[in-house]
Amino acid sequence: MENHGREAMARASISFACYTSPMPTYYRPTMSVLGPSMLPTLSITGDVVLVERLSHRLGKLGSGDLVRVRSPLDPNKTLTKRVVAMEGDKVPKGHVWIQGDNLYVSRDSRHFGPLPYGLIEGKVFMGVSNAKSIVSGFVHRMS
Amino acid sequence: MFFLIELYAFLKLVNPSWFHFSLTFVFIGNVEMGTPSVLWNIAKKCFTVGVITLTVSDLFASIVQVRGTSMCPTFNPKTNSLLDSLSEDRVLVEKLCLRNYKLAHGDVVVFSSPNNHKEKHVKRIVGLPGDWVRTIYDVVHVPEGHCWVEGDNSASSLDSRSFGPVPLGLVKGRITHILWPPHRVGSVDRKSPQNRVCAS
């Protein structure tokens, strides 16, 4: 009936708006990654990674996690790096120390210092490599 | 029912003020309870309203309560020791400025504290990336991607003079208008301090 049609349209348009909105802080699960700073974990020419955006709000982030962060040098860019150390002796309160896996070409906390926790946007939990196979458990915790 | 409880927990974690606002609307419109189909309708409406308010408050504007006296006289000018909840200023925070982080000198912004991501502070932008800001003892260079914020009431304000420049990624919105109390409703103007900043 007419009411159902309208409801369906409303639902579709809401989910479309949520998915394509430019500030998807809670609910956009996929992102593409570029650059050599995370070799060999993530490839140069763009892997698609699945990012979940709830753990960092609940405090369930630890060292060894791959995270998506907003760059402190340019707020319009996001970086994908690994959390190497949480707050403690060497890292001030409210900050984390992030590093890329490819230390030679990665610009990370060794350049701009500890990163405020508020800049973390999500945790990467799965990656899809550009090769034809889908690799799950691609991202493993390093202790 | 479990779905409602999960939704409640999620919305409360994420955005408590808007959650209460949206839920009261939904429950006022659904007085009769009882049969499962009515409960399901309520659940659907709750979810839709929740998603809509979350999207609106993230992308466009939200209303925030300002606590403390670090922005006297712009916000909370009356410094009574019992600043109860009703007398604190409510302001409109717009989020459209976050698309390209186009902020200007003198904008009042809401940002997450660099030392504790759960706290949010309200201060005025004094320096933008590349500027040189004069503090009491020396001249500070604001690095790329950061801003220098200070409260209007320098005597009782914890700002960049204590925790340094704030990354622009921590800015969550810009305050444009005061919405409460009624006799001070109006727009919040940009005010640049004189002779303290050498813009690049």
Side-chain angles (χ1 to χ4, degrees):
Chain A
M1 303 211 282
E2 207 184 80
N3 213 6
H4 284 297
R6 247 185 280 145
E7 246 192 75
M9 268 279 281
R11 267 201 295 266
S13 54
I14 287 172
S15 46
F16 177 75
C18 292
Y19 199 78
T20 60
S21 59
M23 297 279 297
T25 50
Y26 310 116
Y27 29 69
R28 186 158 124 194
T30 60
M31 310 231 62
S32 65
V33 183
L34 286 178
S37 66
M38 287 298 294
L39 288 172
T41 315
L42 300 172
S43 73
I44 294 185
T45 52
D47 280 346
V48 172
V49 295
L50 290 180
V51 179
E52 53 95 1
R53 295 166 191 273
L54 280 186
S55 320
H56 69 105
R57 287 174 209 273
L58 303 172
K60 290 195 182 0
L61 205 62
S63 66
D65 289 338
L66 269 189
V67 290
R68 193 79 188 171
V69 306
R70 199 155 275 278
S71 166
L73 301 172
D74 181 358
N76 294 312
K77 294 211 171 76
T78 49
L79 315 171
T80 313
K81 304 282 177 219
R82 197 178 291 273
V83 172
V84 171
M86 302 289 292
E87 59 189 45
D89 290 337
K90 307 247 173 80
V91 179
K93 198 163 174 324
H95 293 68
V96 295
W97 190 270
I98 58 170
Q99 275 180 205
D101 284 349
N102 188 359
L103 290 175
Y104 301 107
V105 296
S106 164
R107 298 190 70 208
D108 46 36
S109 283
R110 295 167 301 153
H111 300 93
F112 47 70
L115 184 92
Y117 196 97
L119 287 178
I120 296 179
E121 296 202 324
K123 182 167 96 159
V124 175
F125 63 97
M126 206 181 285
V128 177
S129 70
N130 267 346
K132 292 188 180 112
S133 56
I134 293 182
V135 180
S136 72
F138 191 65
V139 168
H140 46 272
R141 284 178 90 95
M142 298 212 288
S143 53
Chain B
M1 218 51 223
F2 188 59
F3 164 75
L4 272 182
I5 296 170
E6 272 190 61
L7 180 67
Y8 177 90
F10 175 67
L11 280 180
K12 203 159 173 97
L13 172 77
V14 144
N15 213 334
S17 55
W18 277 102
F19 164 70
H20 291 298
F21 174 72
S22 56
L23 255 201
T24 38
F25 260 112
V26 174
F27 276 104
I28 285 172
N30 281 294
V31 183
E32 334 99 51
M33 305 260 190
T35 59
S37 65
V38 176
L39 282 180
W40 178 239
N41 279 332
I42 297 176
K44 280 195 299 193
K45 282 192 191 153
C46 274
F47 186 69
T48 318
V49 172
V51 166
I52 292 177
T53 43
L54 267 188
T55 312
V56 165
S57 78
D58 269 356
L59 291 186
F60 299 113
S62 65
I63 300 181
V64 155
Q65 196 175 335
V66 177
R67 279 194 227 145
T69 54
S70 63
M71 288 293 292
C72 256
T74 317
F75 305 132
N76 293 338
K78 291 207 195 91
T79 54
N80 15 336
S81 49
L82 323 152
L83 258 182
D84 56 334
S85 195
L86 275 183
S87 69
E88 287 171 357
D89 287 8
R90 265 94 174 152
V91 294
L92 184 72
V93 179
E94 65 105 356
K95 319 265 173 147
L96 296 173
C97 61
L98 298 179
R99 306 253 158 135
N100 295 320
Y101 287 91
K102 278 186 8 188
L103 299 164
H105 289 100
D107 276 343
V108 181
V109 292
V110 177
F111 60 94
S112 297
S113 166
N115 295 328
N116 184 353
H117 69 283
K118 297 190 187 146
E119 285 174 6
K120 294 216 176 67
H121 295 309
V122 172
K123 302 281 179 270
R124 200 178 285 272
I125 288 187
V126 167
L128 287 174
D131 291 350
W132 291 86
V133 176
R134 186 182 308 149
T135 56
I136 302 180
Y137 301 113
D138 59 21
V139 184
V140 178
H141 182 244
V142 181
E144 204 53 50
H146 290 65
C147 59
W148 187 268
V149 292
E150 281 185 18
D152 286 349
N153 185 7
S154 313
S156 75
S157 159
L158 264 185
D159 46 35
S160 284
R161 292 169 302 164
S162 356
F163 47 69
V166 173
L168 281 172
L170 289 179
V171 170
K172 300 293 178 208
R174 184 168 63 112
I175 294 184
T176 48
H177 291 81
I178 301 180
L179 300 178
W180 179 269
H183 62 271
R184 298 203 303 113
V185 168
S187 61
V188 174
D189 297 323
R190 293 203 178 114
K191 257 195 291 185
S192 308
Q194 275 83 13
N195 298 329
R196 289 205 45 219
V197 178
C198 178
S200 56

